[in-house]
Amino acid sequence: MRLAPLLLPLLAACAREPAPAPPYPFTGSWDCGGATFRFTNTSYFNGSKTYPIRAVTREGDSYTLYIQGGTRIFLALVTDTGLTWVSAASGDQFHCRRVN
């Protein structure tokens, strides 16, 4: 079939990034301006309660955490020293710096 070579670049452009795998770059403790959040590869601690992470997706240097119970948390612009934490439920956001 002669169309197949023409379709390959289009299919490649539609391909998603591979799913992220542990260890995730956001693991550790983060000072988020009044609260310290902690992330492991499998859990999220918001300063008062620990929640299991069901799944993680990645888009560039940002991550979506799917927390047990249907909550989603976005971690945007994750670097070795900082990230932006965003709640999908409330829209709250905090600029955080790594503390360990």
Side-chain angles (χ1 to χ4, degrees):
M1 176 187 252
R2 297 185 76 54
L3 291 178
L6 298 174
L7 294 177
L8 288 177
L10 293 173
L11 292 174
C14 294
R16 293 182 151 223
E17 285 187 44
Y24 301 119
F26 56 78
T27 59
S29 295
W30 299 86
D31 176 356
C32 296
T36 299
F37 297 155
R38 282 193 297 273
F39 299 93
T40 70
N41 291 317
T42 59
S43 67
Y44 158 62
F45 176 71
N46 69 358
S48 61
K49 186 173 178 184
T50 300
Y51 299 90
I53 297 172
R54 289 188 359 235
V56 177
T57 59
R58 176 181 170 208
E59 187 171 324
D61 56 2
S62 298
Y63 296 82
T64 302
L65 309 183
Y66 296 87
I67 307 299
Q68 186 171 330
T71 301
R72 283 179 299 153
I73 296 169
F74 304 106
L75 303 177
L77 307 172
V78 177
T79 68
D80 290 340
T81 59
L83 61 81
T84 299
W85 178 99
V86 182
S87 166
S90 67
D92 290 344
Q93 50 182 302
F94 303 104
H95 299 288
C96 308
R97 65 176 180 79
R98 188 181 294 275
V99 293
N100 76 337

